[in-house]
């Protein structure tokens, strides 16, 4: 099926690693123009070199910096002649329980999660308004529906974002902008490689992942791959998904709590 994304332009935040990078690759494969940002110039340069496309624009920018995000969105729209899609993907999780979470942790986490959606949205909005097939996809987590005590700030922030996405879907619908969420379970990306290193378990990465999958009750018995998450994101960006808004898709391999 032709997803109708050729010559469309999508801004993907956090495209220099993991799910964001896989999404950028998938969009380029569909013939779309892609603009992506991250904080680390070297990682962006590596992404640009490996994807090697004149339909890819990269820029250093922190999603918490509203002015920088606005300037990047304007540059992207100017380069490609507009914006049709936005993927709010940049972010990371915070491994904390209530007992070791400071007031600053709460502030930082809520700022990253909400600014990570609202700054790019405000920046992209004038350009999305001008598109005849505008779509916003928020990369969220199944934590939004069922919290994990060891990720207390991230779980609470994720739940708020899922709620926010529904408000946005309703408010932006008259402008023809669809808003949906993709809720990830455990996807094998840089985040998990870093956790494996930090765990210092003496296990191979593969064995450690199998143990994590069993511990979390993942029905498919493994972590997901970044391109499996990208598939759902790209499908929701597609003009073919023109009647889908205000909803969420779980990409989690049937993680136990989501099947309840
Ligand atoms: P990675 O750590 O592999 O990649 C994160 C990307 O976001 C990088 O490009 C990073 O670049 C960028 N980024 C992080 N913070 C900022 C910032 N403040 N401003 C701009 N860019 C930023 O993450 P994943 O691919 O694993 O995760 C993608 C999204 O999915 C994240 O929001 C994550 O929380 C969420 N998620 C992931 C899960 C998983 O199992 N992998 C599970 C549930 C949710 P740089 O560091 O250079 O800025």
């Amino acid at each position: 099926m032709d997803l109708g994304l050729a010559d469309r332009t999508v801004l993907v935040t956090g495209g220099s690693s993991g799910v964001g990078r896989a999404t950028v690759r998938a969009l380029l494969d569909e013939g779309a123009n892609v603009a992506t940002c991250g904080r680390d110039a070297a990682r962006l340069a590596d992404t640009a070199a490996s994807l090697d496309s004149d339909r890819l624009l990269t820029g250093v920018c922190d999603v918490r910096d509203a002015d920088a995000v606005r300037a990047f969105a304007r540059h992207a729209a100017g380069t490609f002649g507009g914006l049709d899609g936005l993927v709010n993907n940049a972010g990371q999780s915070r491994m904390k329980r209530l007992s070791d979470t400071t007031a600053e942790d709460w502030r930082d986490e809520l700022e990253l999660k909400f600014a990570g959606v609202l700054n790019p949205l405000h920046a992209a909005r004038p350009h999305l308004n001008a598109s005849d097939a505008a779509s916003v996809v928020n990369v969220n987590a199944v934590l939004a529906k069922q919290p994990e005590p060891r990720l207390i700030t991230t779980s609470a922030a994720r739940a708020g974002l899922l709620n926010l996405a529904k408000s946005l879907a309703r408010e932006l619908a008259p402008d023809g902008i669809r808003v949906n969420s993709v809720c990830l379970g455990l996807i094998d990306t840089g985040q998990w490689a870093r956790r494996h290193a930090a765990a210092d378990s003496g296990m191979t990465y593969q064995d450690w992942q199998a143990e994590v999958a069993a511990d979390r009750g993942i029905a498919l018995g493994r972590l997901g791959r970044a391109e499996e998450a990208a598939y759902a994101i790209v499908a929701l960006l597609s003009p073919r998904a023109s009647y889908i808004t205000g909803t969420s898709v779980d990409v989690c391999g049937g993680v136990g709590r989501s099947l309840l």
Side-chain angles (χ1 to χ4, degrees), residues 14-19 38-40 43 61-64 89-93 112 139-141 158 184-187 189-192 194:
S16 60
S17 174
V19 172
R39 294 163 301 174
D40 186 309
R43 288 216 289 178
C61 134
D62 188 322
V63 290
R64 290 168 295 189
N89 163 76
Q92 59 193 41
S93 58
L112 172 62
V139 179
N140 205 321
R158 291 295 189 194
L184 305 180
L186 277 54
I187 308 295
T189 63
Q191 294 205 24
W192 286 95
R194 287 193 295 275

Side-chain angles (χ1 to χ4, degrees), residues 15-124:
S16 60
S17 174
V19 172
R21 186 160 164 163
T23 302
V24 171
R25 183 188 297 274
L27 287 167
L28 291 173
D29 288 348
E30 290 297 320
N33 306 306
V34 186
T36 194
C37 65
R39 294 163 301 174
D40 186 309
R43 288 216 289 178
L44 282 169
D46 178 63
T47 300
S50 74
L51 296 176
D52 188 25
S53 170
D54 57 7
R55 286 182 284 108
L56 174 63
L57 174 75
T58 61
V60 176
C61 134
D62 188 322
V63 290
R64 290 168 295 189
D65 182 341
D67 291 340
V69 178
R70 198 177 309 110
F72 183 62
R74 200 179 299 128
H75 181 40
T79 303
F80 295 123
L83 285 181
D84 304 287
L86 169 66
V87 181
N88 291 315
N89 163 76
Q92 59 193 41
S93 58
R94 188 178 296 259
M95 295 289 276
K96 294 265 182 169
R97 290 179 180 273
L98 178 65
S99 51
D100 57 6
T101 306
T102 63
E104 195 181 356
D105 287 328
W106 281 107
R107 265 196 310 275
D108 287 353
E109 184 67 0
L110 293 172
E111 187 201 354
L112 172 62
K113 292 296 185 294
F114 282 89
V117 168
L118 293 171
N119 286 341
L121 179 69
H122 288 311

Side-chain angles (χ1 to χ4, degrees), residues 10 79 101 129 216 234:
V10 182
T79 303
T101 306
N129 279 345
R216 306 293 173 92
V234 170

